[in-house]
Amino acid sequence: MAIVFAFCCLCCSALNDFIFKLFADRPMSRGIFFSLIGVILAIVMAPFAVWHFSGTAFFWACAASMFSIVGNVLLIEAMGHLSAGICSTVYRLNLIFVVPGAMLFFGERLTSPQLWGVLAAVAAITLFSWSTLKSRRKASLFGMVLIVSASLLRAGMGLAYKQALICRMDEFALVCINGLFWVAGGIIYARLKDGKVKLPDLATIGFSAASGLFVVGITFFMAKMLRYGAAGVVLSIAQMSFLGTLLLSVLFLKEKLEKFKVAGIVCGVAAILLLSVK
């Protein structure tokens, strides 16, 4: 059943990354966008949450939520500088950090194929970095720094989620806490970036509603798959979502597939497949 939850998480992630790219290309408040998504998360999950948990479980839930909001802020900022295909692929290659983390914290073993998978992931990021270097644009290089940082935080979120669930945190409460962090984080982000917090327009509400539904799916299915499956396996499957985002970007945004990008995507697919081997 964990595999089914992982594939559901994959589909939600692919669609949500595409919405992020559409929103990132528009001059609207990203902070308010995140806050509204957080409101949807909290409202949908709160009625089902069980609010009985230990202080340790609450700590890891807060840690996961902090990693989540900051990582997604960096993701959407990176999408303002880079293509959706590159951002989604590098973001999902957070397995470079997940696999060693799963070994360190959960005692999961690193197999020989997984080692090759880490090397393939490094190769993918190198190829994407080379592609941005060829453009000689400082904005593109800054975008690579942002998306690699976002990937690291995404790995931390997955590992912290797993630890919270080990401490018997209810998955609905976990997602609800995540939503509350998005509400607060989005307001802070809007204040810092825009200089003020203002009421959203209809377009922002529409994007937030669509993204909010997919984020509900991502966080819920992630919690479910981590409860029933090994972190290294289910997180590996869920990260394949960048293929769906890439397809949507090529079809609807007419993004070009240069040879370095194609090579990077091939390495990314190989990395995730290898990292899934137990």
Side-chain angles (χ1 to χ4, degrees), residues 227-266:
R227 179 175 292 279
Y228 298 110
V233 174
V234 293
L235 287 173
S236 298
I237 294 171
Q239 306 318 312
M240 293 291 283
S241 63
F242 68 84
L243 293 175
T245 304
L246 175 68
L247 178 61
L248 292 170
S249 300
V250 171
L251 290 176
F252 297 103
L253 301 180
K254 309 302 180 184
E255 291 187 358
K256 296 181 180 180
L257 288 177
E258 301 171 354
K259 59 181 180 181
F260 285 106
K261 290 182 182 179
V262 173
I265 290 165
V266 171

PDB file of all heavy atoms in Angstrom, residues 227-266:
ATOM      1  N   ARG A 227       4.544   6.263   6.826  1.00  0.00           N
ATOM      2  CA  ARG A 227       4.082   5.452   7.951  1.00  0.00           C
ATOM      3  C   ARG A 227       4.193   3.960   7.626  1.00  0.00           C
ATOM      4  O   ARG A 227       4.536   3.142   8.481  1.00  0.00           O
ATOM      5  CB  ARG A 227       2.632   5.807   8.303  1.00  0.00           C
ATOM      6  CG  ARG A 227       2.086   4.973   9.462  1.00  0.00           C
ATOM      7  CD  ARG A 227       0.697   5.415   9.871  1.00  0.00           C
ATOM      8  NE  ARG A 227       0.680   6.732  10.480  1.00  0.00           N
ATOM      9  CZ  ARG A 227       0.987   6.991  11.741  1.00  0.00           C
ATOM     10  NH1 ARG A 227       1.370   6.013  12.539  1.00  0.00           N
ATOM     11  NH2 ARG A 227       0.921   8.208  12.215  1.00  0.00           N
ATOM     12  N   TYR A 228       3.917   3.602   6.375  1.00  0.00           N
ATOM     13  CA  TYR A 228       3.852   2.188   6.018  1.00  0.00           C
ATOM     14  C   TYR A 228       5.059   1.677   5.224  1.00  0.00           C
ATOM     15  O   TYR A 228       5.188   0.472   5.033  1.00  0.00           O
ATOM     16  CB  TYR A 228       2.576   1.915   5.211  1.00  0.00           C
ATOM     17  CG  TYR A 228       1.317   2.197   5.990  1.00  0.00           C
ATOM     18  CD1 TYR A 228       0.504   3.274   5.660  1.00  0.00           C
ATOM     19  CD2 TYR A 228       0.952   1.399   7.068  1.00  0.00           C
ATOM     20  CE1 TYR A 228      -0.659   3.545   6.380  1.00  0.00           C
ATOM     21  CE2 TYR A 228      -0.205   1.664   7.802  1.00  0.00           C
ATOM     22  CZ  TYR A 228      -1.010   2.737   7.444  1.00  0.00           C
ATOM     23  OH  TYR A 228      -2.143   3.002   8.165  1.00  0.00           O
ATOM     24  N   GLY A 229       5.924   2.577   4.757  1.00  0.00           N
ATOM     25  CA  GLY A 229       7.046   2.128   3.943  1.00  0.00           C
ATOM     26  C   GLY A 229       8.379   2.678   4.407  1.00  0.00           C
ATOM     27  O   GLY A 229       8.438   3.601   5.235  1.00  0.00           O
ATOM     28  N   ALA A 230       9.471   2.101   3.877  1.00  0.00           N
ATOM     29  CA  ALA A 230      10.821   2.570   4.191  1.00  0.00           C
ATOM     30  C   ALA A 230      11.054   3.915   3.521  1.00  0.00           C
ATOM     31  O   ALA A 230      10.715   4.099   2.344  1.00  0.00           O
ATOM     32  CB  ALA A 230      11.858   1.559   3.706  1.00  0.00           C
ATOM     33  N   ALA A 231      11.628   4.846   4.261  1.00  0.00           N
ATOM     34  CA  ALA A 231      11.820   6.206   3.755  1.00  0.00           C
ATOM     35  C   ALA A 231      12.599   6.222   2.452  1.00  0.00           C
ATOM     36  O   ALA A 231      12.262   6.946   1.505  1.00  0.00           O
ATOM     37  CB  ALA A 231      12.537   7.060   4.813  1.00  0.00           C
ATOM     38  N   GLY A 232      13.670   5.432   2.372  1.00  0.00           N
ATOM     39  CA  GLY A 232      14.506   5.440   1.179  1.00  0.00           C
ATOM     40  C   GLY A 232      13.774   5.005  -0.067  1.00  0.00           C
ATOM     41  O   GLY A 232      14.057   5.486  -1.167  1.00  0.00           O
ATOM     42  N   VAL A 233      12.804   4.071   0.062  1.00  0.00           N
ATOM     43  CA  VAL A 233      12.079   3.545  -1.098  1.00  0.00           C
ATOM     44  C   VAL A 233      10.947   4.467  -1.525  1.00  0.00           C
ATOM     45  O   VAL A 233      10.864   4.897  -2.681  1.00  0.00           O
ATOM     46  CB  VAL A 233      11.524   2.133  -0.794  1.00  0.00           C
ATOM     47  CG1 VAL A 233      10.653   1.642  -1.947  1.00  0.00           C
ATOM     48  CG2 VAL A 233      12.670   1.157  -0.554  1.00  0.00           C
ATOM     49  N   VAL A 234      10.038   4.783  -0.589  1.00  0.00           N
ATOM     50  CA  VAL A 234       8.856   5.554  -0.970  1.00  0.00           C
ATOM     51  C   VAL A 234       9.199   6.990  -1.360  1.00  0.00           C
ATOM     52  O   VAL A 234       8.592   7.559  -2.280  1.00  0.00           O
ATOM     53  CB  VAL A 234       7.800   5.536   0.156  1.00  0.00           C
ATOM     54  CG1 VAL A 234       7.245   4.139   0.331  1.00  0.00           C
ATOM     55  CG2 VAL A 234       8.375   6.051   1.471  1.00  0.00           C
ATOM     56  N   LEU A 235      10.178   7.591  -0.686  1.00  0.00           N
ATOM     57  CA  LEU A 235      10.588   8.938  -1.078  1.00  0.00           C
ATOM     58  C   LEU A 235      11.243   8.933  -2.458  1.00  0.00           C
ATOM     59  O   LEU A 235      11.119   9.884  -3.218  1.00  0.00           O
ATOM     60  CB  LEU A 235      11.545   9.532  -0.035  1.00  0.00           C
ATOM     61  CG  LEU A 235      10.913   9.949   1.292  1.00  0.00           C
ATOM     62  CD1 LEU A 235      11.989  10.352   2.296  1.00  0.00           C
ATOM     63  CD2 LEU A 235       9.921  11.088   1.094  1.00  0.00           C
ATOM     64  N   SER A 236      11.919   7.840  -2.800  1.00  0.00           N
ATOM     65  CA  SER A 236      12.539   7.717  -4.117  1.00  0.00           C
ATOM     66  C   SER A 236      11.487   7.710  -5.221  1.00  0.00           C
ATOM     67  O   SER A 236      11.618   8.389  -6.235  1.00  0.00           O
ATOM     68  CB  SER A 236      13.377   6.430  -4.195  1.00  0.00           C
ATOM     69  OG  SER A 236      14.424   6.446  -3.262  1.00  0.00           O
ATOM     70  N   ILE A 237      10.427   6.932  -5.011  1.00  0.00           N
ATOM     71  CA  ILE A 237       9.359   6.851  -6.013  1.00  0.00           C
ATOM     72  C   ILE A 237       8.672   8.206  -6.167  1.00  0.00           C
ATOM     73  O   ILE A 237       8.423   8.674  -7.286  1.00  0.00           O
ATOM     74  CB  ILE A 237       8.340   5.775  -5.616  1.00  0.00           C
ATOM     75  CG1 ILE A 237       9.002   4.388  -5.663  1.00  0.00           C
ATOM     76  CG2 ILE A 237       7.115   5.817  -6.527  1.00  0.00           C
ATOM     77  CD1 ILE A 237       8.151   3.283  -5.089  1.00  0.00           C
ATOM     78  N   ALA A 238       8.369   8.845  -5.057  1.00  0.00           N
ATOM     79  CA  ALA A 238       7.650  10.121  -5.097  1.00  0.00           C
ATOM     80  C   ALA A 238       8.437  11.193  -5.835  1.00  0.00           C
ATOM     81  O   ALA A 238       7.851  12.094  -6.455  1.00  0.00           O
ATOM     82  CB  ALA A 238       7.343  10.587  -3.678  1.00  0.00           C
ATOM     83  N   GLN A 239       9.772  11.109  -5.814  1.00  0.00           N
ATOM     84  CA  GLN A 239      10.589  12.137  -6.445  1.00  0.00           C
ATOM     85  C   GLN A 239      10.572  12.078  -7.970  1.00  0.00           C
ATOM     86  O   GLN A 239      11.067  12.983  -8.639  1.00  0.00           O
ATOM     87  CB  GLN A 239      12.042  12.038  -5.960  1.00  0.00           C
ATOM     88  CG  GLN A 239      12.241  12.065  -4.461  1.00  0.00           C
ATOM     89  CD  GLN A 239      11.363  13.077  -3.767  1.00  0.00           C
ATOM     90  OE1 GLN A 239      11.274  14.220  -4.165  1.00  0.00           O
ATOM     91  NE2 GLN A 239      10.707  12.658  -2.709  1.00  0.00           N
ATOM     92  N   MET A 240      10.029  11.004  -8.557  1.00  0.00           N
ATOM     93  CA  MET A 240       9.942  10.897 -10.019  1.00  0.00           C
ATOM     94  C   MET A 240       8.947  11.898 -10.603  1.00  0.00           C
ATOM     95  O   MET A 240       8.765  11.957 -11.814  1.00  0.00           O
ATOM     96  CB  MET A 240       9.524   9.475 -10.400  1.00  0.00           C
ATOM     97  CG  MET A 240      10.552   8.412 -10.088  1.00  0.00           C
ATOM     98  SD  MET A 240      12.023   8.514 -11.129  1.00  0.00           S
ATOM     99  CE  MET A 240      11.391   7.813 -12.641  1.00  0.00           C
ATOM    100  N   SER A 241       8.327  12.698  -9.779  1.00  0.00           N
ATOM    101  CA  SER A 241       7.326  13.664 -10.238  1.00  0.00           C
ATOM    102  C   SER A 241       7.885  14.673 -11.225  1.00  0.00           C
ATOM    103  O   SER A 241       7.144  15.266 -12.011  1.00  0.00           O
ATOM    104  CB  SER A 241       6.733  14.410  -9.044  1.00  0.00           C
ATOM    105  OG  SER A 241       7.731  15.162  -8.382  1.00  0.00           O
ATOM    106  N   PHE A 242       9.207  14.880 -11.227  1.00  0.00           N
ATOM    107  CA  PHE A 242       9.767  15.887 -12.127  1.00  0.00           C
ATOM    108  C   PHE A 242       9.547  15.521 -13.596  1.00  0.00           C
ATOM    109  O   PHE A 242       9.527  16.409 -14.461  1.00  0.00           O
ATOM    110  CB  PHE A 242      11.262  16.093 -11.845  1.00  0.00           C
ATOM    111  CG  PHE A 242      12.149  14.930 -12.194  1.00  0.00           C
ATOM    112  CD1 PHE A 242      12.614  14.770 -13.490  1.00  0.00           C
ATOM    113  CD2 PHE A 242      12.520  14.024 -11.230  1.00  0.00           C
ATOM    114  CE1 PHE A 242      13.445  13.703 -13.815  1.00  0.00           C
ATOM    115  CE2 PHE A 242      13.343  12.966 -11.547  1.00  0.00           C
ATOM    116  CZ  PHE A 242      13.811  12.790 -12.840  1.00  0.00           C
ATOM    117  N   LEU A 243       9.345  14.227 -13.895  1.00  0.00           N
ATOM    118  CA  LEU A 243       9.074  13.833 -15.277  1.00  0.00           C
ATOM    119  C   LEU A 243       7.721  14.379 -15.733  1.00  0.00           C
ATOM    120  O   LEU A 243       7.578  14.841 -16.873  1.00  0.00           O
ATOM    121  CB  LEU A 243       9.105  12.308 -15.401  1.00  0.00           C
ATOM    122  CG  LEU A 243      10.470  11.650 -15.191  1.00  0.00           C
ATOM    123  CD1 LEU A 243      10.336  10.131 -15.215  1.00  0.00           C
ATOM    124  CD2 LEU A 243      11.455  12.121 -16.242  1.00  0.00           C
ATOM    125  N   GLY A 244       6.739  14.332 -14.846  1.00  0.00           N
ATOM    126  CA  GLY A 244       5.427  14.892 -15.175  1.00  0.00           C
ATOM    127  C   GLY A 244       5.487  16.400 -15.336  1.00  0.00           C
ATOM    128  O   GLY A 244       4.888  16.967 -16.257  1.00  0.00           O
ATOM    129  N   THR A 245       6.233  17.069 -14.450  1.00  0.00           N
ATOM    130  CA  THR A 245       6.387  18.522 -14.546  1.00  0.00           C
ATOM    131  C   THR A 245       7.087  18.910 -15.836  1.00  0.00           C
ATOM    132  O   THR A 245       6.715  19.879 -16.506  1.00  0.00           O
ATOM    133  CB  THR A 245       7.195  19.055 -13.347  1.00  0.00           C
ATOM    134  OG1 THR A 245       6.558  18.652 -12.138  1.00  0.00           O
ATOM    135  CG2 THR A 245       7.281  20.580 -13.390  1.00  0.00           C
ATOM    136  N   LEU A 246       8.115  18.144 -16.191  1.00  0.00           N
ATOM    137  CA  LEU A 246       8.852  18.411 -17.433  1.00  0.00           C
ATOM    138  C   LEU A 246       7.942  18.288 -18.648  1.00  0.00           C
ATOM    139  O   LEU A 246       7.950  19.145 -19.539  1.00  0.00           O
ATOM    140  CB  LEU A 246      10.026  17.433 -17.555  1.00  0.00           C
ATOM    141  CG  LEU A 246      10.815  17.510 -18.864  1.00  0.00           C
ATOM    142  CD1 LEU A 246      11.568  18.831 -18.943  1.00  0.00           C
ATOM    143  CD2 LEU A 246      11.779  16.337 -18.980  1.00  0.00           C
ATOM    144  N   LEU A 247       7.141  17.243 -18.686  1.00  0.00           N
ATOM    145  CA  LEU A 247       6.224  17.039 -19.813  1.00  0.00           C
ATOM    146  C   LEU A 247       5.233  18.194 -19.920  1.00  0.00           C
ATOM    147  O   LEU A 247       4.995  18.721 -21.024  1.00  0.00           O
ATOM    148  CB  LEU A 247       5.480  15.713 -19.643  1.00  0.00           C
ATOM    149  CG  LEU A 247       4.445  15.374 -20.720  1.00  0.00           C
ATOM    150  CD1 LEU A 247       5.115  15.258 -22.080  1.00  0.00           C
ATOM    151  CD2 LEU A 247       3.717  14.078 -20.372  1.00  0.00           C
ATOM    152  N   LEU A 248       4.661  18.607 -18.809  1.00  0.00           N
ATOM    153  CA  LEU A 248       3.720  19.725 -18.814  1.00  0.00           C
ATOM    154  C   LEU A 248       4.395  21.022 -19.277  1.00  0.00           C
ATOM    155  O   LEU A 248       3.797  21.810 -20.021  1.00  0.00           O
ATOM    156  CB  LEU A 248       3.138  19.921 -17.405  1.00  0.00           C
ATOM    157  CG  LEU A 248       2.200  18.814 -16.891  1.00  0.00           C
ATOM    158  CD1 LEU A 248       1.915  19.027 -15.411  1.00  0.00           C
ATOM    159  CD2 LEU A 248       0.906  18.796 -17.686  1.00  0.00           C
ATOM    160  N   SER A 249       5.641  21.234 -18.853  1.00  0.00           N
ATOM    161  CA  SER A 249       6.366  22.454 -19.212  1.00  0.00           C
ATOM    162  C   SER A 249       6.681  22.498 -20.696  1.00  0.00           C
ATOM    163  O   SER A 249       6.601  23.554 -21.336  1.00  0.00           O
ATOM    164  CB  SER A 249       7.660  22.553 -18.394  1.00  0.00           C
ATOM    165  OG  SER A 249       7.382  22.594 -17.019  1.00  0.00           O
ATOM    166  N   VAL A 250       7.060  21.351 -21.258  1.00  0.00           N
ATOM    167  CA  VAL A 250       7.368  21.291 -22.692  1.00  0.00           C
ATOM    168  C   VAL A 250       6.106  21.499 -23.516  1.00  0.00           C
ATOM    169  O   VAL A 250       6.095  22.217 -24.525  1.00  0.00           O
ATOM    170  CB  VAL A 250       8.041  19.948 -23.050  1.00  0.00           C
ATOM    171  CG1 VAL A 250       8.162  19.785 -24.569  1.00  0.00           C
ATOM    172  CG2 VAL A 250       9.421  19.858 -22.413  1.00  0.00           C
ATOM    173  N   LEU A 251       4.998  20.892 -23.088  1.00  0.00           N
ATOM    174  CA  LEU A 251       3.745  20.973 -23.845  1.00  0.00           C
ATOM    175  C   LEU A 251       3.084  22.343 -23.763  1.00  0.00           C
ATOM    176  O   LEU A 251       2.606  22.881 -24.769  1.00  0.00           O
ATOM    177  CB  LEU A 251       2.769  19.905 -23.346  1.00  0.00           C
ATOM    178  CG  LEU A 251       3.118  18.447 -23.662  1.00  0.00           C
ATOM    179  CD1 LEU A 251       2.107  17.507 -23.008  1.00  0.00           C
ATOM    180  CD2 LEU A 251       3.154  18.215 -25.166  1.00  0.00           C
ATOM    181  N   PHE A 252       3.065  22.930 -22.556  1.00  0.00           N
ATOM    182  CA  PHE A 252       2.286  24.147 -22.354  1.00  0.00           C
ATOM    183  C   PHE A 252       3.120  25.422 -22.233  1.00  0.00           C
ATOM    184  O   PHE A 252       2.631  26.508 -22.542  1.00  0.00           O
ATOM    185  CB  PHE A 252       1.404  24.002 -21.110  1.00  0.00           C
ATOM    186  CG  PHE A 252       0.384  22.908 -21.220  1.00  0.00           C
ATOM    187  CD1 PHE A 252       0.566  21.692 -20.567  1.00  0.00           C
ATOM    188  CD2 PHE A 252      -0.755  23.069 -21.997  1.00  0.00           C
ATOM    189  CE1 PHE A 252      -0.369  20.673 -20.668  1.00  0.00           C
ATOM    190  CE2 PHE A 252      -1.696  22.062 -22.106  1.00  0.00           C
ATOM    191  CZ  PHE A 252      -1.495  20.851 -21.442  1.00  0.00           C
ATOM    192  N   LEU A 253       4.369  25.303 -21.789  1.00  0.00           N
ATOM    193  CA  LEU A 253       5.222  26.480 -21.645  1.00  0.00           C
ATOM    194  C   LEU A 253       6.287  26.563 -22.734  1.00  0.00           C
ATOM    195  O   LEU A 253       7.066  27.520 -22.759  1.00  0.00           O
ATOM    196  CB  LEU A 253       5.900  26.482 -20.265  1.00  0.00           C
ATOM    197  CG  LEU A 253       4.960  26.483 -19.054  1.00  0.00           C
ATOM    198  CD1 LEU A 253       5.761  26.485 -17.763  1.00  0.00           C
ATOM    199  CD2 LEU A 253       4.014  27.677 -19.105  1.00  0.00           C
ATOM    200  N   LYS A 254       6.316  25.548 -23.596  1.00  0.00           N
ATOM    201  CA  LYS A 254       7.257  25.509 -24.729  1.00  0.00           C
ATOM    202  C   LYS A 254       8.714  25.625 -24.290  1.00  0.00           C
ATOM    203  O   LYS A 254       9.531  26.256 -24.956  1.00  0.00           O
ATOM    204  CB  LYS A 254       6.932  26.630 -25.735  1.00  0.00           C
ATOM    205  CG  LYS A 254       5.476  26.683 -26.179  1.00  0.00           C
ATOM    206  CD  LYS A 254       5.031  25.358 -26.809  1.00  0.00           C
ATOM    207  CE  LYS A 254       3.566  25.415 -27.241  1.00  0.00           C
ATOM    208  NZ  LYS A 254       3.085  24.115 -27.771  1.00  0.00           N
ATOM    209  N   GLU A 255       9.035  25.017 -23.146  1.00  0.00           N
ATOM    210  CA  GLU A 255      10.421  25.033 -22.692  1.00  0.00           C
ATOM    211  C   GLU A 255      11.282  24.161 -23.603  1.00  0.00           C
ATOM    212  O   GLU A 255      10.866  23.077 -24.012  1.00  0.00           O
ATOM    213  CB  GLU A 255      10.516  24.548 -21.243  1.00  0.00           C
ATOM    214  CG  GLU A 255       9.915  25.519 -20.258  1.00  0.00           C
ATOM    215  CD  GLU A 255      10.165  25.116 -18.805  1.00  0.00           C
ATOM    216  OE1 GLU A 255      10.780  24.062 -18.579  1.00  0.00           O
ATOM    217  OE2 GLU A 255       9.743  25.865 -17.911  1.00  0.00           O
ATOM    218  N   LYS A 256      12.491  24.626 -23.910  1.00  0.00           N
ATOM    219  CA  LYS A 256      13.376  23.905 -24.804  1.00  0.00           C
ATOM    220  C   LYS A 256      14.166  22.843 -24.042  1.00  0.00           C
ATOM    221  O   LYS A 256      14.554  23.042 -22.896  1.00  0.00           O
ATOM    222  CB  LYS A 256      14.339  24.882 -25.486  1.00  0.00           C
ATOM    223  CG  LYS A 256      13.640  25.891 -26.405  1.00  0.00           C
ATOM    224  CD  LYS A 256      14.655  26.814 -27.061  1.00  0.00           C
ATOM    225  CE  LYS A 256      13.951  27.813 -27.977  1.00  0.00           C
ATOM    226  NZ  LYS A 256      14.921  28.737 -28.627  1.00  0.00           N
ATOM    227  N   LEU A 257      14.425  21.734 -24.727  1.00  0.00           N
ATOM    228  CA  LEU A 257      15.215  20.658 -24.144  1.00  0.00           C
ATOM    229  C   LEU A 257      16.607  20.656 -24.780  1.00  0.00           C
ATOM    230  O   LEU A 257      16.828  20.032 -25.823  1.00  0.00           O
ATOM    231  CB  LEU A 257      14.529  19.308 -24.359  1.00  0.00           C
ATOM    232  CG  LEU A 257      13.274  19.038 -23.541  1.00  0.00           C
ATOM    233  CD1 LEU A 257      12.675  17.697 -23.908  1.00  0.00           C
ATOM    234  CD2 LEU A 257      13.581  19.077 -22.055  1.00  0.00           C
ATOM    235  N   GLU A 258      17.546  21.376 -24.163  1.00  0.00           N
ATOM    236  CA  GLU A 258      18.918  21.380 -24.658  1.00  0.00           C
ATOM    237  C   GLU A 258      19.600  20.075 -24.268  1.00  0.00           C
ATOM    238  O   GLU A 258      19.157  19.358 -23.374  1.00  0.00           O
ATOM    239  CB  GLU A 258      19.670  22.572 -24.056  1.00  0.00           C
ATOM    240  CG  GLU A 258      19.035  23.911 -24.400  1.00  0.00           C
ATOM    241  CD  GLU A 258      19.656  25.053 -23.614  1.00  0.00           C
ATOM    242  OE1 GLU A 258      20.489  24.766 -22.721  1.00  0.00           O
ATOM    243  OE2 GLU A 258      19.317  26.206 -23.886  1.00  0.00           O
ATOM    244  N   LYS A 259      20.732  19.770 -24.943  1.00  0.00           N
ATOM    245  CA  LYS A 259      21.383  18.474 -24.734  1.00  0.00           C
ATOM    246  C   LYS A 259      21.848  18.280 -23.287  1.00  0.00           C
ATOM    247  O   LYS A 259      21.767  17.171 -22.747  1.00  0.00           O
ATOM    248  CB  LYS A 259      22.555  18.307 -25.694  1.00  0.00           C
ATOM    249  CG  LYS A 259      23.647  19.367 -25.576  1.00  0.00           C
ATOM    250  CD  LYS A 259      24.746  19.119 -26.606  1.00  0.00           C
ATOM    251  CE  LYS A 259      25.858  20.172 -26.495  1.00  0.00           C
ATOM    252  NZ  LYS A 259      26.921  19.942 -27.506  1.00  0.00           N
ATOM    253  N   PHE A 260      22.336  19.341 -22.641  1.00  0.00           N
ATOM    254  CA  PHE A 260      22.780  19.202 -21.253  1.00  0.00           C
ATOM    255  C   PHE A 260      21.595  18.947 -20.329  1.00  0.00           C
ATOM    256  O   PHE A 260      21.698  18.195 -19.356  1.00  0.00           O
ATOM    257  CB  PHE A 260      23.547  20.448 -20.809  1.00  0.00           C
ATOM    258  CG  PHE A 260      24.929  20.537 -21.382  1.00  0.00           C
ATOM    259  CD1 PHE A 260      25.209  21.436 -22.403  1.00  0.00           C
ATOM    260  CD2 PHE A 260      25.948  19.720 -20.926  1.00  0.00           C
ATOM    261  CE1 PHE A 260      26.485  21.525 -22.943  1.00  0.00           C
ATOM    262  CE2 PHE A 260      27.221  19.791 -21.453  1.00  0.00           C
ATOM    263  CZ  PHE A 260      27.499  20.694 -22.470  1.00  0.00           C
ATOM    264  N   LYS A 261      20.449  19.578 -20.626  1.00  0.00           N
ATOM    265  CA  LYS A 261      19.262  19.343 -19.818  1.00  0.00           C
ATOM    266  C   LYS A 261      18.761  17.914 -19.978  1.00  0.00           C
ATOM    267  O   LYS A 261      18.393  17.253 -19.000  1.00  0.00           O
ATOM    268  CB  LYS A 261      18.157  20.329 -20.216  1.00  0.00           C
ATOM    269  CG  LYS A 261      18.422  21.770 -19.817  1.00  0.00           C
ATOM    270  CD  LYS A 261      17.252  22.652 -20.200  1.00  0.00           C
ATOM    271  CE  LYS A 261      17.513  24.114 -19.853  1.00  0.00           C
ATOM    272  NZ  LYS A 261      16.373  24.978 -20.249  1.00  0.00           N
ATOM    273  N   VAL A 262      18.757  17.430 -21.236  1.00  0.00           N
ATOM    274  CA  VAL A 262      18.306  16.060 -21.492  1.00  0.00           C
ATOM    275  C   VAL A 262      19.210  15.063 -20.769  1.00  0.00           C
ATOM    276  O   VAL A 262      18.733  14.122 -20.126  1.00  0.00           O
ATOM    277  CB  VAL A 262      18.300  15.765 -23.008  1.00  0.00           C
ATOM    278  CG1 VAL A 262      17.998  14.284 -23.258  1.00  0.00           C
ATOM    279  CG2 VAL A 262      17.264  16.639 -23.713  1.00  0.00           C
ATOM    280  N   ALA A 263      20.530  15.295 -20.856  1.00  0.00           N
ATOM    281  CA  ALA A 263      21.477  14.413 -20.169  1.00  0.00           C
ATOM    282  C   ALA A 263      21.261  14.461 -18.660  1.00  0.00           C
ATOM    283  O   ALA A 263      21.328  13.432 -17.970  1.00  0.00           O
ATOM    284  CB  ALA A 263      22.913  14.812 -20.509  1.00  0.00           C
ATOM    285  N   GLY A 264      20.989  15.651 -18.136  1.00  0.00           N
ATOM    286  CA  GLY A 264      20.733  15.791 -16.709  1.00  0.00           C
ATOM    287  C   GLY A 264      19.484  15.058 -16.278  1.00  0.00           C
ATOM    288  O   GLY A 264      19.447  14.423 -15.218  1.00  0.00           O
ATOM    289  N   ILE A 265      18.440  15.120 -17.101  1.00  0.00           N
ATOM    290  CA  ILE A 265      17.188  14.430 -16.781  1.00  0.00           C
ATOM    291  C   ILE A 265      17.386  12.919 -16.801  1.00  0.00           C
ATOM    292  O   ILE A 265      16.884  12.200 -15.928  1.00  0.00           O
ATOM    293  CB  ILE A 265      16.087  14.856 -17.774  1.00  0.00           C
ATOM    294  CG1 ILE A 265      15.692  16.324 -17.512  1.00  0.00           C
ATOM    295  CG2 ILE A 265      14.870  13.949 -17.660  1.00  0.00           C
ATOM    296  CD1 ILE A 265      14.910  16.944 -18.627  1.00  0.00           C
ATOM    297  N   VAL A 266      18.147  12.420 -17.799  1.00  0.00           N
ATOM    298  CA  VAL A 266      18.439  10.980 -17.878  1.00  0.00           C
ATOM    299  C   VAL A 266      19.184  10.526 -16.620  1.00  0.00           C
ATOM    300  O   VAL A 266      18.862   9.497 -16.026  1.00  0.00           O
ATOM    301  CB  VAL A 266      19.261  10.656 -19.136  1.00  0.00           C
ATOM    302  CG1 VAL A 266      19.755   9.211 -19.090  1.00  0.00           C
ATOM    303  CG2 VAL A 266      18.429  10.883 -20.391  1.00  0.00           C
TER     304      VAL A 266
END
